[in-house]
Amino acid sequence: MKDELQLLHCFLAVANAQNFRAAADQLGVTRSAVSQAMRKLEDQLGIALVHRTTRHVRLTEAGQTLHQQISGPLAAVQVALEEVSEEGPARGLLRVAVTSIAERFLSGPLISTFAAAHPHITLDVTVTDDESDIIAGGFDAGLRLGEVIEQDMIAIPLTGPQRQVVVATPSYLSAHGTPQHPNDLLGHRCIGWRAELELAPYRWEFQEDGRDFSLAVAPRVTTNDMLLMVRTALADGGITVGMEETFAPYLERGELVSVLDSYLPYFPGFYLYYPSRRNQPRKLRALVEHVKGWAPVAGSSPATKPTSEK
């Protein structure tokens, strides 16, 4: 039975990662060991579970069926095994998908203090702006803005309300003028963001007289890297947009200044979220409690949020 469970865990890792190397890294074994385990499982079942290429792995119809049938039960088995060893420290691999703009989480101290407090947990953080299902992606939890989290998820606030700001250097504004209305941005050098190469650049979002609207600013520079946006703006490269927390140090030092503030409302902030299950793995509960310690004090949490923790 132990061997069969190991083979099934290996299959799940391959199915979620769709790549032998990534599955091997997740399991802490060699790629060869993953390949051998998959062949052994397929031989035992007498059917192919994956289509292999040099770069990718795709599930066969039988593989898709097996993945759907065993994902939930194996997760429950893992939780049960952790629960019977409740007296020991929380341990295991904890995979979290985090949006690239979650400054509070990604700045370093939250992660470093969690690692110090839980030496038996390996925290694997994937920074991604893909809003796909964290369960399908093989993640234990995610961290995003509350407005994009599915309503059936448990969500723990990490920050209070957030907002975007539009910023530039004082010298850029002195040379090119300060926009008084969002439409004025169409005459400026803008530094924009795009999630993926095949997608259009992000449309900058504003509010006027209670009405939300977005603007395609036709950026002169576009990137998927927020740090590059910050550096370009600091070098007098133009006007850019992003989360207020991201620009806070530069605004405080006067290296950047914000414009159009009256058109930029607050919205619900960042949440750690995860699937609603009867029993949560101890490693995930450890992260939840740690995040609660970094959450805003009572009275400063967002007015709206996804499903609250039960």
Side-chain angles (χ1 to χ4, degrees), residues 163-309:
R163 72 167 183 163
Q164 294 196 100
V165 290
V166 175
V167 301
T169 59
S171 55
Y172 173 86
L173 296 175
S174 177
H176 301 278
T178 300
Q180 302 301 312
H181 186 277
N183 289 333
D184 295 341
L185 293 169
L186 299 176
H188 280 270
R189 291 204 311 261
C190 292
I191 306 159
W193 179 83
R194 87 164 76 228
E196 298 178 18
L197 182 62
E198 62 272 16
L199 298 180
Y202 165 73
R203 294 175 64 94
W204 296 16
E205 298 177 81
F206 300 95
Q207 188 178 90
E208 184 175 22
D209 298 328
R211 179 182 64 87
D212 295 329
F213 68 98
S214 62
L215 186 68
V217 299
R220 296 280 295 277
V221 176
T222 306
T223 178
N224 66 341
D225 183 5
M226 177 56 67
L227 183 57
L228 178 59
M229 294 170 67
V230 173
R231 288 172 171 170
T232 305
L234 288 169
D236 299 329
I239 300 177
T240 194
V241 66
M243 301 301 295
E244 191 168 29
E245 281 192 351
T246 299
F247 294 114
Y250 311 100
L251 294 169
E252 291 170 4
R253 293 193 295 265
E255 299 172 68
L256 295 172
V257 295
S258 61
V259 299
L260 303 174
D261 285 353
S262 62
Y263 297 94
L264 295 161
Y266 283 88
F267 45 80
F270 292 98
Y271 293 81
L272 176 75
Y273 68 101
Y274 50 91
S276 176
R277 294 175 182 152
R278 183 173 181 179
N279 295 310
Q280 294 295 336
R282 293 182 61 212
K283 60 187 180 183
L284 178 55
R285 296 206 305 268
L287 180 61
V288 168
E289 292 304 314
H290 194 76
V291 165
K292 285 180 178 179
W294 288 75
V297 297
S300 63
S301 58
T304 59
K305 60 178 290 184
T307 306
S308 60
E309 186 182 27

Side-chain angles (χ1 to χ4, degrees), residues 1-302:
M1 178 63 72
K2 181 179 178 181
D3 288 343
E4 282 75 6
L5 282 175
Q6 290 177 339
L7 293 179
L8 290 175
H9 276 297
C10 180
F11 166 73
L12 279 183
V14 170
N16 290 331
Q18 297 187 24
N19 181 281
F20 277 18
R21 174 63 65 189
D25 291 343
Q26 177 185 335
L27 296 170
V29 298
T30 65
R31 184 186 184 284
S32 176
V34 170
S35 181
Q36 292 175 16
M38 286 300 300
R39 287 196 182 94
K40 183 175 181 180
L41 180 60
E42 289 177 325
D43 288 343
Q44 288 183 0
L45 296 176
I47 194 169
L49 298 174
V50 296
H51 296 297
R52 300 167 174 82
T53 68
T54 55
R55 291 180 177 270
H56 301 287
V57 172
R58 181 167 56 86
L59 294 180
T60 64
E61 183 176 351
Q64 293 174 358
T65 299
L66 181 62
H67 183 254
Q68 292 170 358
Q69 293 294 328
I70 70 173
S71 295
L74 276 187
V77 168
Q78 184 63 39
V79 171
L81 291 174
E82 292 180 356
E83 292 299 326
V84 298
S85 59
E86 188 72 26
E87 295 182 0
R91 64 179 65 245
L93 176 66
L94 184 61
R95 302 186 67 232
V96 184
V98 181
T99 177
S100 65
I101 57 174
E103 183 69 20
R104 181 78 60 88
F105 191 92
L106 296 174
S107 60
L110 188 153
I111 294 175
S112 65
T113 53
F114 178 79
H118 300 281
H120 298 285
I121 296 177
T122 299
L123 184 62
D124 186 325
V125 178
T126 297
V127 179
T128 174
D129 292 302
D130 182 0
E131 297 177 6
S132 60
D133 187 348
I134 57 170
I135 301 175
F139 295 100
D140 297 287
L143 200 144
R144 306 206 173 281
L145 289 170
E147 60 189 21
V148 298
I149 298 174
E150 298 91 336
Q151 291 298 311
D152 61 347
M153 292 285 170
I154 302 297
I156 306 298
L158 174 62
T159 71
Q162 300 285 300
R163 72 167 183 163
Q164 294 196 100
V165 290
V166 175
V167 301
T169 59
S171 55
Y172 173 86
L173 296 175
S174 177
H176 301 278
T178 300
Q180 302 301 312
H181 186 277
N183 289 333
D184 295 341
L185 293 169
L186 299 176
H188 280 270
R189 291 204 311 261
C190 292
I191 306 159
W193 179 83
R194 87 164 76 228
E196 298 178 18
L197 182 62
E198 62 272 16
L199 298 180
Y202 165 73
R203 294 175 64 94
W204 296 16
E205 298 177 81
F206 300 95
Q207 188 178 90
E208 184 175 22
D209 298 328
R211 179 182 64 87
D212 295 329
F213 68 98
S214 62
L215 186 68
V217 299
R220 296 280 295 277
V221 176
T222 306
T223 178
N224 66 341
D225 183 5
M226 177 56 67
L227 183 57
L228 178 59
M229 294 170 67
V230 173
R231 288 172 171 170
T232 305
L234 288 169
D236 299 329
I239 300 177
T240 194
V241 66
M243 301 301 295
E244 191 168 29
E245 281 192 351
T246 299
F247 294 114
Y250 311 100
L251 294 169
E252 291 170 4
R253 293 193 295 265
E255 299 172 68
L256 295 172
V257 295
S258 61
V259 299
L260 303 174
D261 285 353
S262 62
Y263 297 94
L264 295 161
Y266 283 88
F267 45 80
F270 292 98
Y271 293 81
L272 176 75
Y273 68 101
Y274 50 91
S276 176
R277 294 175 182 152
R278 183 173 181 179
N279 295 310
Q280 294 295 336
R282 293 182 61 212
K283 60 187 180 183
L284 178 55
R285 296 206 305 268
L287 180 61
V288 168
E289 292 304 314
H290 194 76
V291 165
K292 285 180 178 179
W294 288 75
V297 297
S300 63
S301 58

